[in-house]
């Protein structure tokens, strides 16, 4: 019975040590990873930079539309006007959210492509090292 407990305690210690080592490695990877603003700026430099610019401009226009719609809803005196401005507000807000979501998905796509390229490069380096042996 004592032997099983010792084995379990040793296993727990090994798991803790492994998790600490992995956490240290994760911190070093996260420290070298570019931040949000660097990733956001990168979408304006790739092949889709024109579309990213159009999306950003559209997001700003839609922000203005939903702000004006919210104000007009607030000052409207008739139910029909309030209904119109409420629909304009909700529609422009949802469109703006969709555009921003697309921009962040583009940012994520570029980040994933870079990581795949890094992995391909590392694998080719390892294959070249093993081929020389």
């Amino acid at each position: 019975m004592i032997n099983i407990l010792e084995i379990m305690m040793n296993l727990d210690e090994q798991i803790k040590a492994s998790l600490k080592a992995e956490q240290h490695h994760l911190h070093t990877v996260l420290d070298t990873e570019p931040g949000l603003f660097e990733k956001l700026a990168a979408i304006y430099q790739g092949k889709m930079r024109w579309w990213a610019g159009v999306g950003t401009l559209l997001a700003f226009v839609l922000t203005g539309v939903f702000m004006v719609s919210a104000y007009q809803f607030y000052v409207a005196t008739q139910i029909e006007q309030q209904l119109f401005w409420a629909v304009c507000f909700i529609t422009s807000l949802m469109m703006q959210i969709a555009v921003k979501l697309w921009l962040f998905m583009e940012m994520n796509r570029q980040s994933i492509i870079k990581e795949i390229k890094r992995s391909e490069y590392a694998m080719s380096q390892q294959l070249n090292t093993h081929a020389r042996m």
Side-chain angles (χ1 to χ4, degrees):
M1 186 74 168
I2 296 173
N3 195 13
I4 293 175
L5 289 175
E6 289 177 19
I7 292 173
M8 293 297 286
M9 291 184 74
N10 287 338
L11 184 61
D12 284 344
E13 294 301 320
Q14 290 174 353
I15 290 173
K16 286 178 186 177
S18 175
L19 287 175
K20 283 183 182 179
E22 186 176 322
Q23 184 179 11
H24 176 69
H25 175 69
L26 183 60
H27 283 298
T28 58
V29 169
L30 290 177
D31 288 342
T32 60
E33 188 72 22
L36 176 65
F37 293 114
E38 289 88 8
K39 287 182 179 182
L40 193 57
I43 67 171
Y44 299 104
Q45 297 169 359
K47 292 181 181 179
M48 300 283 285
R49 68 179 168 263
W50 192 82
W51 285 108
V54 169
T56 302
L57 181 65
L58 183 60
F60 279 117
V61 168
L62 290 168
T63 300
V65 169
F66 83 72
M67 291 174 116
V68 168
S69 298
Y71 175 75
Q72 291 296 330
F73 174 80
Y74 182 71
V75 298
T77 57
Q78 296 178 348
I79 298 291
E80 293 84 14
Q81 290 176 342
Q82 286 181 332
L83 183 61
F84 173 77
W85 290 114
V87 169
C88 285
F89 173 78
I90 292 171
T91 303
S92 60
L93 182 64
M94 291 177 69
M95 289 171 65
Q96 188 228 28
I97 290 170
V99 170
K100 285 183 178 180
L101 183 61
W102 178 80
L103 288 170
F104 276 95
M105 286 171 42
E106 180 66 20
M107 184 176 65
N108 188 38
R109 184 185 69 84
Q110 286 188 2
S111 180
I112 289 172
I113 288 173
K114 285 180 183 178
E115 189 61 37
I116 289 172
K117 295 294 182 184
R118 277 189 225 135
S119 298
E120 286 177 352
Y121 179 73
M123 288 172 57
S124 70
Q125 292 298 317
Q126 285 182 349
L127 287 174
N128 288 339
T129 303
H130 289 298
R132 289 184 212 152
M133 291 182 177

